[in-house]
Amino acid sequence: MNSTTIDWEAISSELAGIEIIQDTERLAKLSLDYYHFSPVLQPLLEEKRGDLVVRPCTEEEVLKIAKICVKYKAPLTVRGAGTGNYGQCVPLSGGIILDTTKMNKISWIKPGLACVEPGVKMAAFDKEAREIGWELRMYPSTYRTATIGGFIGGGSGGIGSITYGQLRDRGNLHAVRVVTLEDEPRVIELRGDEVQKVNHAYGTNGIITQLEIPLAPAYPWAELIVNFDDFMTSAKFAQELTDTDGIIKKLICICAWPIPQYFAALRSYIPEGKHSALLIIAEPSLEPFKELVKEYGGDISYEKSAEDGNKGVSLAEFTWNHTTLHARSADPSLTYLQSSLPDDPKMELLEHLYGHFGDEVMMHLEFVKSGGKSVIAGLQVVRYTSEDRLNEIIRYHEERGATIFNPHTYILEDGGMKTVNVEQVEFKKKVDPYGLFNPGKMRGYFEEKE
Ligand SMILES: Cc1cc2nc3c(=O)[nH]c(=O)nc-3n(C[C@H](O)[C@H](O)[C@H](O)COP(=O)(O)OP(=O)(O)OC[C@H]3O[C@@H](n4cnc5c(N)ncnc54)[C@H](O)[C@@H]3O)c2cc1C
């Protein structure tokens, strides 16, 4: 698909009344995301640009844009805050970028459930929800800037996943409204299991215009750093904390030395050579939590009360892919992996991988629940030398039973389970008959068309 033959002047005049952006500098900014975390994706995506950005305020305006898109057969890429980290919202074939950030109304919040537009920022939402004692079940470390629609479109889980699992787990998304790119674009409401048709589909099969999301009871959350002399002790402590259901927690992140050396703002709390646990624990659980720390010989070097929540650093912003961000700020040649380790109660594989790769693959672990079971997610920081070596490292993990969610590909299916999601492809065929949603992104669709 070639967007240069499209009559962009005609399209912009038909879009009259809706904010559009066409200047080169802003177009470049609004075409890209954090794809540059990957040295493999850098050369593939850095030149990609949309032809025009449009910022609707309402679902009605989205329907109007969809109609124009279909009329001119213009590709369309949906964008939230653009914090995705593998070119998720980078337009592969140019076209229209539909930016949802002006669709930021919270329709209602009631105990346990809320209804929002896709461009609502997660931190802004939580502020409102806490007024009635509730909060988001989970959020990415980009919480302050990311949109709820973008989290559903491209995220997987994050802070809170230790209790509530992954976004894809049943019950973590109740309903969505999506706008189609049919000859006569329409709104489809998907509820219950049907939401999986668009959940984590990178915006390839519908523009989400409204979401119903479940909430969690809000706790006063304390933030703590606990240091350990030995990496495996820190990992075993994290596993036991994960399995101790009586201690209410929101985040268990382990960073093996030398990763903490990249956290400039935390340097005074993490002595040289120590392995750190970055934790968010409910204040009423701190007493039993400290007993556990004592049992494992950990040293609490930092503790911020819930009352001081907005003061100083936010520990969450050193975890998940913020760990990668800080590492890359200190050394841009570093990159990362995303993995999930197989069930291994004695942690033998973890210990083996830690010893085998040494400083080439530095251990960053996030403890989470997935499908009701506790899982160790690795976001290892990697000293990059070449694509071949990176693939060798990936293969080494896979041969030993680890799953790699490859962050060095922009193709929807290749980053995840490597299987085509038939339900999502079938839904795309129905709602996007001309294949206009970011063409080239969904392998299951374009391979069938070829
Ligand atoms: C430093 C850093 C840390 C991160 N930490 C985490 C983490 O902890 N957990 C995690 O899951 N992710 C994480 N991410 C990835 C990303 O920040 C999150 O997934 C975030 O929620 C994306 O929101 P966004 O508004 O920026 O979405 P965008 O990046 O704008 O979009 C993400 C995807 O969703 C699609 N999309 C956006 N809006 C819609 C819509 N209305 N309808 C249909 N499709 C849509 C886009 O097309 C794109 O494919 C991190 C990224 C970085 C750079």
Side-chain angles (χ1 to χ4, degrees):
M1 199 168 280
N2 185 351
S3 71
T4 53
T5 54
I6 292 169
D7 186 349
W8 288 105
E9 235 169 80
I11 290 187
S12 20
S13 69
E14 288 205 38
L15 286 169
I18 307 177
E19 182 188 347
I20 57 174
I21 296 164
Q22 279 180 298
D23 69 275
T24 319
E25 209 175 300
R26 288 173 82 202
L27 259 185
K29 193 162 171 267
L30 294 167
S31 294
L32 300 173
D33 64 4
Y34 284 77
Y35 72 99
H36 47 81
F37 275 18
S38 163
V40 178
L41 293 182
Q42 271 172 28
L44 300 178
L45 298 180
E46 65 191 349
E47 304 291 335
K48 300 285 181 196
R49 298 288 181 272
D51 294 273
L52 179 152
V53 176
V54 60
R55 283 190 169 145
C57 295
T58 62
E59 187 177 85
E60 235 170 51
E61 289 183 352
V62 173
L63 278 163
K64 180 175 168 184
I65 296 162
K67 184 136 179 103
I68 294 167
C69 231
V70 176
K71 177 176 167 189
Y72 289 91
K73 303 293 176 288
L76 182 141
T77 300
V78 195
R79 177 186 177 92
T83 67
N85 40 341
Y86 10 96
Q88 287 173 328
C89 64
V90 173
L92 300 175
S93 315
I96 293 180
I97 294 170
L98 188 149
D99 175 326
T100 63
T101 51
K102 280 169 97 179
M103 297 181 71
N104 56 8
K105 278 194 247 1
I106 298 172
S107 305
W108 47 261
I109 306 177
K110 60 187 182 189
L113 201 63
C115 179
V116 297
E117 287 186 339
V120 171
K121 306 255 179 201
M122 309 190 93
F125 172 83
D126 254 359
K127 209 164 161 227
E128 295 282 316
R130 286 206 187 107
E131 298 277 320
I132 63 156
W134 293 81
E135 62 183 17
L136 289 168
R137 283 186 175 179
M138 67 191 80
Y139 52 79
S141 58
T142 45
Y143 172 70
R144 281 199 285 174
T145 45
T147 65
I148 295 180
F151 191 40
I152 297 301
S156 53
I159 296 122
S161 287
I162 184 66
T163 303
Y164 293 99
Q166 307 295 299
L167 278 176
R168 65 172 172 271
D169 288 336
R170 180 181 277 149
N172 281 334
L173 172 64
H174 281 217
V176 287
R177 281 166 73 85
V178 287
V179 166
T180 70
L181 287 182
E182 295 160 293
D183 283 316
E184 208 46 67
R186 63 193 164 120
V187 179
I188 298 179
E189 186 174 68
L190 301 171
R191 304 197 66 86
D193 286 351
E194 288 220 310
V195 298
Q196 304 305 349
K197 289 177 177 168
V198 297
N199 193 357
H200 200 73
Y202 290 9
T204 54
N205 60 7
I207 306 159
I208 300 172
T209 51
Q210 196 181 66
L211 308 98
E212 268 177 48
I213 45 165
L215 306 177
Y219 279 90
W221 295 107
E223 300 181 13
L224 299 103
I225 299 177
V226 184
N227 297 313
F228 295 86
D229 292 334
D230 166 65
F231 169 67
M232 285 312 294
T233 307
S234 72
K236 285 177 183 158
F237 160 80
Q239 187 61 60
E240 184 153 355
L241 179 56
T242 299
D243 295 339
T244 307
D245 291 337
I247 296 177
I248 311 291
K249 58 257 173 192
K250 201 166 180 173
L251 175 73
I252 305 178
C253 165
I254 298 291
C255 292
W257 187 265
I259 293 176
Q261 74 175 351
Y262 301 124
F263 301 158
L266 303 181
R267 218 162 266 156
S268 54
Y269 306 109
I270 308 177
E272 175 95 15
K274 300 282 182 184
H275 310 276
S276 300
L278 275 51
L279 307 158
I280 301 184
I281 309 287
E283 276 185 348
S285 290
L286 282 176
E287 195 178 347
F289 164 78
K290 287 179 183 176
E291 295 290 319
L292 185 66
V293 173
K294 211 189 309 160
E295 193 182 318
Y296 279 81
D299 174 42
I300 300 178
S301 62
Y302 175 87
E303 183 172 348
K304 182 165 84 167
S305 69
E307 205 185 341
D308 289 339
N310 293 327
K311 294 189 193 147
V313 295
S314 154
L315 273 198
E317 291 182 357
F318 293 83
T319 69
W320 288 85
N321 259 318
H322 267 79
T323 310
T324 321
L325 181 88
H326 290 290
R328 283 182 43 75
S329 301
D331 179 354
S333 72
L334 296 173
T335 187
Y336 69 128
L337 282 182
Q338 296 183 151
S339 61
S340 152
L341 298 184
D343 189 29
D344 177 18
K346 292 194 179 144
M347 295 186 162
E348 284 165 344
L349 179 61
L350 176 65
E351 190 162 11
H352 169 76
L353 293 170
Y354 176 66
H356 178 78
F357 287 110
D359 275 4
E360 186 184 13
V361 181
M362 296 170 254
M363 279 296 175
H364 162 203
L365 308 174
E366 298 288 346
F367 286 71
V368 295
K369 288 270 166 64
S370 176
K373 299 195 176 71
S374 82
V375 170
I376 303 178
L379 283 89
Q380 299 90 331
V381 177
V382 178
R383 282 188 204 286
Y384 183 75
T385 43
S386 70
E387 193 174 344
D388 282 349
R389 176 61 186 154
L390 187 63
N391 289 332
E392 215 172 284
I393 294 170
I394 290 175
R395 234 181 355 262
Y396 193 88
H397 281 76
E398 288 178 336
E399 281 165 6
R400 282 155 187 80
T403 305
I404 299 285
F405 304 97
N406 191 358
H408 304 284
T409 170
Y410 57 78
I411 302 290
L412 169 64
E413 294 91 339
D414 298 350
M417 295 296 189
K418 284 139 189 110
T419 53
V420 168
N421 182 329
V422 178
E423 194 186 15
Q424 292 191 347
V425 176
E426 287 308 310
F427 188 66
K428 181 175 174 72
K429 287 200 280 196
K430 197 167 107 187
V431 301
D432 183 19
Y434 301 105
L436 297 174
F437 280 119
N438 203 359
K441 195 92 194 146
M442 186 192 256
R443 182 159 56 83
Y445 178 80
F446 67 72
E447 276 183 352
E448 212 173 280
K449 291 269 154 188
E450 276 163 7

